[in-house]
Amino acid sequence: MNTTTHPLLQAFFPYGDVIAAVLRIMGVCADGQDSDDGSHDWSHLIRVWKLVAEIAADDPALDLEMLAVSVLLHDCVQVEKTDPRRAQASRLSAEKASEVLRTLGWNAARIDATAHVIEAHSFSAAIEPRTNEARVLRDADRLDAIGAIGIARTFYVAGRNGSRLYDPLDPFATDRELDDRRFALDHFETKLLHLADGLTTATARRIGERRIATMRAYVELLRDEIATPRSTA
């Protein structure tokens, strides 16, 4: 694998060696295909690792190599949001990650700890993180779902799953139940604008506050642009 060209090896510095080893075990080569899901592709992994590194700067006791591997593998089994198995995705990823790390030669305790980091990151799984590494990955993954990138990912996923942008008669669900399976805009209120409430680390909370403000500002701009003109009759 070419360590000078593969985007993941460059982004995960200084843990490129272990990342390269994991990718080899998984059969991913330097010119291999990225995920076909643009919301969970290599760029997502790179963004989450950047956030992990920023959050982890406050805690020198964290196992950063474990976190690097956890970021790389946290979505290694991808399940569409419309799939009934969605809540099992992080558990399935943790199981696959454990197989990879056994091949890599990690000991059982460290494999189990990494599996927990991966399993507990998921919002859908609702697993409470028991370690600081698990808290950091969960915070970083949630931060990547909000802010400007969160807005982009929301509408990308909506298009991928065949949802509409918003309900043309009642965009902000004034007189109807929210339904984020049908309308992308509903997802802001059903989930995204509340994600920062569950952040556990001080750095993540600071970042989350800024990103939620960005999303609220966007919603207000959108409200102005799609407002229905009042009748003059």
Side-chain angles (χ1 to χ4, degrees), residues 123 128-129 135 138-139 142-143 145-146 188-202 204-213 215-216:
F123 183 89
E128 192 64 27
R135 294 182 189 96
R138 191 178 78 163
D139 279 2
R142 290 187 179 190
L143 286 172
I146 58 179
F188 285 64
E189 188 56 48
T190 58
K191 178 180 178 182
L192 300 181
L193 291 174
H194 309 288
L195 270 184
D197 297 342
L199 298 174
T200 61
T201 59
R205 287 194 292 268
R206 288 195 296 270
I207 299 170
E209 185 176 350
R210 295 195 302 268
R211 294 193 177 199
I212 291 296
M215 298 190 82
R216 291 194 184 280

Side-chain angles (χ1 to χ4, degrees), residues 39 41 71 74 119 133-134 152 187 222:
S39 64
D41 56 3
V71 170
H74 78 282
E119 192 171 16
E133 286 82 5
H187 195 52
L222 185 64

Side-chain angles (χ1 to χ4, degrees), residues 22-35:
V22 170
L23 292 177
R24 280 195 295 270
I25 292 169
M26 297 179 69
V28 178
C29 58
D31 57 353
Q33 293 296 310
D34 197 352
S35 168

Side-chain angles (χ1 to χ4, degrees), residues 46-126:
I46 292 168
R47 290 192 306 271
V48 172
W49 171 243
K50 181 180 177 182
L51 287 163
V52 162
E54 184 173 356
I55 297 167
D58 293 336
D59 187 353
L62 290 168
D63 186 335
L64 288 177
E65 184 183 54
M66 179 192 293
L67 275 167
V69 171
S70 297
V71 170
L72 181 68
L73 296 174
H74 78 282
D75 288 326
C76 64
V77 175
Q78 295 189 0
V79 181
E80 292 283 359
K81 290 188 180 298
T82 54
D83 192 303
R85 300 173 303 152
R86 177 62 184 173
Q88 303 174 40
S90 67
R91 179 180 61 78
L92 295 171
S93 290
E95 290 174 356
K96 183 173 181 179
S98 296
E99 295 174 5
V100 170
L101 295 178
R102 277 192 288 271
T103 302
L104 193 61
W106 283 26
N107 65 52
R110 201 164 186 227
I111 291 171
D112 289 345
T114 306
H116 172 68
V117 173
I118 293 170
E119 192 171 16
H121 90 272
S122 169
F123 183 89
S124 303

Side-chain angles (χ1 to χ4, degrees), residues 2-21:
N2 189 335
T3 60
T4 64
T5 60
H6 197 289
L8 293 179
L9 303 191
Q10 294 183 45
F12 279 75
F13 178 85
Y15 301 102
D17 288 347
V18 68
I19 296 301

Side-chain angles (χ1 to χ4, degrees), residues 162-173:
S163 301
R164 296 185 180 276
L165 297 180
Y166 58 85
D167 183 335
L169 298 179
D170 189 359
F172 297 93

